[in-house]
Amino acid sequence: MSEFSQKRLESRIAEAIGELIVSGAIKNPHLSPFTSVTRVVLSPDNAQCSVYVSALPDNRIDPSVKALNSAKGFIQSRLGAVLKTRNTPVLTFFRDDSYREAERVNRLIDEAMKDIDG
């Protein structure tokens, strides 16, 4: 599969999972409605799929990841209907803390700039 096709498939997976979360199709009280898919990484053979999510407020990330992992069978079945591919990848959900790291780096840069200026 070409890199373009794989990126397009990753995008479709992220969109479909996001829609399931927003629509309330995943019925788990621990899943925050403010959970968003930040990144999807497919294995080269499209058999495995790592899905990275973030949630608001911050203390809801871990329960949301657990809720998604417990509902992954349901999500995979719905994903199979949307993707219409021969095989549906096995999903694994992970928390994404990249935005926290970006905030920390920005704060360090701001502090360094204050030290230079003053």
Side-chain angles (χ1 to χ4, degrees), residues 20-63:
L20 287 173
I21 293 169
V22 170
S23 70
I26 303 168
K27 307 232 184 282
N28 189 317
H30 300 293
L31 179 62
S32 170
F34 300 109
T35 302
S36 60
V37 177
T38 57
R39 186 170 38 128
V40 173
V41 180
L42 266 172
S43 64
D45 63 354
N46 294 343
Q48 301 288 322
C49 184
S50 299
V51 182
Y52 294 87
V53 296
S54 65
L56 291 174
D58 279 346
N59 63 347
R60 295 296 305 257
I61 293 175
D62 288 331

Side-chain angles (χ1 to χ4, degrees), residues 17 26 49 71 82-84 86 91 95 108 110-113 116 118:
I17 294 172
I26 303 168
C49 184
V82 170
L83 295 178
K84 296 182 177 126
R86 176 179 277 178
L91 303 173
R95 66 181 288 150
L108 289 172
D110 289 343
E111 289 173 8
M113 292 305 288
I116 291 172

Side-chain angles (χ1 to χ4, degrees), residues 8-24:
R8 187 174 58 211
L9 189 57
E10 289 173 350
S11 176
R12 288 176 59 201
I13 290 170
E15 183 180 338
I17 294 172
E19 192 171 311
L20 287 173
I21 293 169
V22 170
S23 70

